Amino acid sequence: MTTTSPRTPMTSPRTTMPSHRAAAPSTSPRTTTAPPRTTASPQGRTELLRADRSPVRVLVVDDEAPLAELLSMALRYEGWEVRSAGDGAGAVRMARDFRPDVVILDVMLPDTDGFAVLGGLRRELAEVPVLFLTARDAVEDRIAGLTAGGDDYVTKPFSLEEVVARLRGLIRRSGTATARSGSTLTVGDLVLDEDSHEVSRGGTSIHLTATEFELLRFLMRNPKRVLSKAQILDRVWNYDFGGQANVVELYISYLRKKIDAGRSPMIHTRRGAGYLIKPGE
C-alpha cells in the first residue's frame, strides 16, 4: 500500500508527531490470560507489569530514527522495556529474540509494508497486539488494516500521550500484564516512591519540591541514560518555559545539592549531550 504524502519534519512531541505514510486500523484485541488488575499511579495512570513482575516489553518498528527514539523515550518513562527496529526483517528478528508484549508498527517501511511484517510477527507471536502508525485516515486504509489483523491504529500526526493510552488499552485487554502494588524506583541507594512522593538516599529522607520530584523521577526511570535538555524540558515542564534550557541547569543544581551533597555523586553532566543518573561509586 502506498501514499503520496511526503515526509515532514517532526513537531514537538508534546503536540503532534508527523505523517508520511499510509496505514491501518484495528480489530478487537485478543485475550490470552486473565485481565490485569490495575493500581493508581502518578499523573492518573496505572502501572503495569508482566506476570513475572518484569517491565512490559514494547517493540517499536519505524525507519525514522528520531521518531522511533521519541516514542521509545516516552515508553521508557512509563517504566516499560523498549527495543526498536528500522525495517521489516529486523522487526521479525527482534520479535523472535525480544518477545514483546505489544508492537508499534509503521505501515510503510523501506523493505516492505507493515501488513506483510504483521504476518511475520504473527508467526512468531500469534497473540501479540499490534498498533499501526498510519499517515492517512481513509476508509480503504482502515479496511486494509482490519483485514491484515491489526489491533489498533494511530493516524499521523499524533501525540505521544495518545500512543501511550492506546498501548495501555491493548496491554490491559490482552491480559499480558498485571498491576504493580507500589511504584518504587531504585538507583543505587537512592529510592523514590511514586505513590507517596517520598525520596531517600541511604535511608535518609530527602525533601523535594514538586518540580524537583518530577525531574528526579524522569532521571530515575532512565538510569545510566543520557537525557538531553530538550527531552527534560518536554517531559518535566511541557515547554512551559518556552524551551529555555537554563531552567534545566538550575533544577539539576537544586537536585545535586539535595541528592549528592556530602555523598558520592549520582547525577552527572555529559557536556553537549545532557544529564544522567547512576549509582554512586
Side-chain angles (χ1 to χ4, degrees), residues 44-254:
R45 294 192 292 264
T46 57
E47 293 295 327
L48 300 173
L49 291 175
R50 308 177 89 203
D52 62 0
R53 313 305 290 169
S54 63
V56 166
R57 296 180 180 181
V58 186
L59 174 59
V60 177
V61 184
D62 197 300
D63 65 314
E64 288 187 277
L67 175 56
E69 177 59 26
L70 284 171
L71 285 167
S72 297
M73 180 63 65
L75 301 178
R76 290 190 184 101
Y77 185 71
E78 297 297 313
W80 299 344
E81 186 176 355
V82 185
R83 297 287 185 275
S84 61
D87 56 35
V92 174
R93 288 195 301 271
M94 183 66 71
R96 183 183 303 122
D97 297 335
F98 184 48
R99 315 299 291 181
D101 301 302
V102 67
V103 177
I104 300 176
L105 178 59
D106 204 336
V107 168
M108 185 174 289
L109 296 169
D111 57 344
T112 185
D113 62 55
F115 306 132
V117 175
L118 178 59
L121 293 174
R122 291 279 189 245
R123 286 190 289 274
E124 296 295 333
L125 300 166
E127 302 298 329
V128 65
V130 173
L131 174 69
F132 274 123
L133 299 183
T134 169
R136 298 187 304 178
D137 195 19
V139 173
E140 60 269 23
D141 294 319
R142 298 186 183 187
I143 294 174
L146 180 64
T147 304
D151 296 280
D152 202 351
Y153 79 105
V154 173
T155 303
K156 298 179 182 180
F158 55 77
S159 70
L160 293 175
E161 288 82 359
E162 179 185 9
V163 172
V164 171
R166 297 292 184 92
L167 291 176
R168 284 182 166 275
L170 290 177
I171 292 168
R172 284 195 301 267
R173 293 192 293 270
S174 69
T176 58
T178 58
R180 177 167 70 179
S181 57
S183 302
T184 301
L185 302 176
T186 303
V187 177
D189 60 351
L190 181 64
V191 179
L192 180 149
D193 190 312
E194 295 182 294
D195 291 334
S196 67
H197 280 216
E198 295 177 341
V199 178
S200 64
R201 182 171 182 189
T204 301
S205 180
I206 299 172
H207 174 73
L208 299 179
T209 66
T211 301
E212 291 168 349
F213 181 87
E214 287 300 324
L215 174 56
L216 181 61
R217 173 161 58 185
F218 187 36
L219 292 171
M220 291 182 69
R221 283 193 167 189
N222 296 275
K224 298 182 180 180
R225 182 179 182 86
V226 176
L227 303 173
S228 69
K229 292 178 181 178
Q231 290 169 328
I232 294 172
L233 277 169
D234 174 57
R235 180 55 62 177
V236 179
W237 281 277
N238 303 331
Y239 292 114
D240 289 346
F241 285 80
Q244 298 179 9
N246 61 339
V247 72
V248 177
E249 298 173 4
L250 180 63
Y251 273 83
I252 287 289
S253 71
Y254 291 162

